[in-house]
Amino acid sequence: MHRGKGMKFVGDSRVPGMEFRKPNVPKDYSEYPGKTEAFWPNFLLKEWMIGAVFLIGYLLLTVAHPSPLEGQADPTNTAYIPLPDWYFLFLYQLLKYEFASGPFNVVGAIIMPGLAFGALMLAPFLDRGPERRPSKRPLPTGFMLLAIASIIFLTWESVANHDWEAAEAQGQITEEVEIDTTDPGYEIYSASSCISCHGDNLEGQVGPTLVGTGLSPEEIAEIAVNGIEADGEQTMPPSFEVGVDGTEEDLQVLAEFISGLEAE
């Protein structure tokens, strides 16, 4: 063979070799202003890291400051006043009005909230104009302001008209105290009307707990006979009538029994 005319191997460019393969790593867009970065794994990994930090922070916060709990639920206590969270107070207040309560409860619980949230879902389809200024969109702006004003008004009315002292007293968790049911004072207590409001163990149901009141026997006897008045209204009716529920001596025994109860 002549020089230069021998057999030659020609590589096929359609079959790339190992030296032509690129690693499966996304491009670095930091050198290109205005460009975005790869969603996986760059962007998603950063989001996961930030989310994990906040999640751990919330978990530590809930461990350090647990949610306050009320007393054990009692389905037989019809005097209990339930209260929803603050963001549902406007619906809670709505159900107090005659047109949305009682036989019309479905109006306040389903129909009116359903219409409001349905209108919110239909808002992008009903208002399809290109204008972005509120002054150029009178109907959506007016409905939005009306909804915000209604929610603020109903929330305020619910807060202003709620008996917060009674709600705090009825949900208060008290330490269990061993009651001596053979004590003469307890026998007088169980035979009076006090037990219907303050419970068998004096832990409080409709009324507050009678354990650890810090009151003297004289003060307790005065409350039992005359009740409690606040701002011209009687918040606790008289519960012991001398000559009907017992004698003066029975009242004194009852007052000393309640005054001597202390939380452990």
Side-chain angles (χ1 to χ4, degrees), residues 59-208:
L59 291 176
L60 294 177
L61 184 63
T62 55
V63 172
H65 302 281
S67 301
L69 299 177
E70 292 188 353
Q72 186 176 2
D74 183 8
T76 63
N77 183 13
T78 58
Y80 181 80
I81 305 174
L83 186 69
D85 291 317
W86 63 269
Y87 43 82
F88 283 136
L89 284 177
F90 70 98
L91 291 176
Y92 175 71
Q93 179 65 23
L94 181 64
L95 295 176
K96 295 181 182 180
Y97 297 115
E98 294 183 0
F99 61 85
S101 61
F104 307 105
N105 201 15
V106 66
V107 176
I110 298 178
I111 295 180
M112 295 183 68
L115 291 175
F117 286 106
L120 183 63
M121 296 177 62
L122 293 176
F125 303 97
L126 299 177
D127 181 39
R128 304 176 62 182
E131 294 290 344
R132 299 177 63 88
R133 296 181 180 179
S135 59
K136 299 292 185 180
R137 306 169 61 188
L139 289 180
T141 303
F143 284 126
M144 180 192 68
L145 294 177
L146 178 62
I148 293 176
S150 301
I151 292 175
I152 293 176
F153 172 76
L154 292 174
T155 302
W156 173 260
E157 284 291 309
S158 178
V159 172
N161 296 322
H162 187 71
D163 190 351
W164 294 99
E165 295 182 359
E168 184 178 357
Q170 71 182 1
Q172 186 178 5
I173 299 178
T174 58
E175 298 182 7
E176 293 186 1
V177 177
E178 186 175 353
I179 305 296
D180 184 7
T181 57
T182 61
D183 191 289
Y186 183 83
E187 295 179 359
I188 299 172
Y189 168 80
S190 60
S192 68
S193 59
C194 303
I195 194 171
S196 61
C197 293
H198 299 284
D200 295 338
N201 293 323
L202 294 86
E203 74 280 5
Q205 291 181 350
V206 179

Side-chain angles (χ1 to χ4, degrees), residues 211-242:
V211 177
T213 60
L215 300 176
S216 64
E218 291 74 17
E219 292 173 327
I220 293 177
E222 175 69 19
I223 294 174
V225 173
N226 299 319
I228 299 177
E229 288 189 4
D231 299 330
E233 296 183 0
Q234 194 160 31
T235 58
M236 174 182 167
S239 56
F240 191 96
E241 184 178 354
V242 177

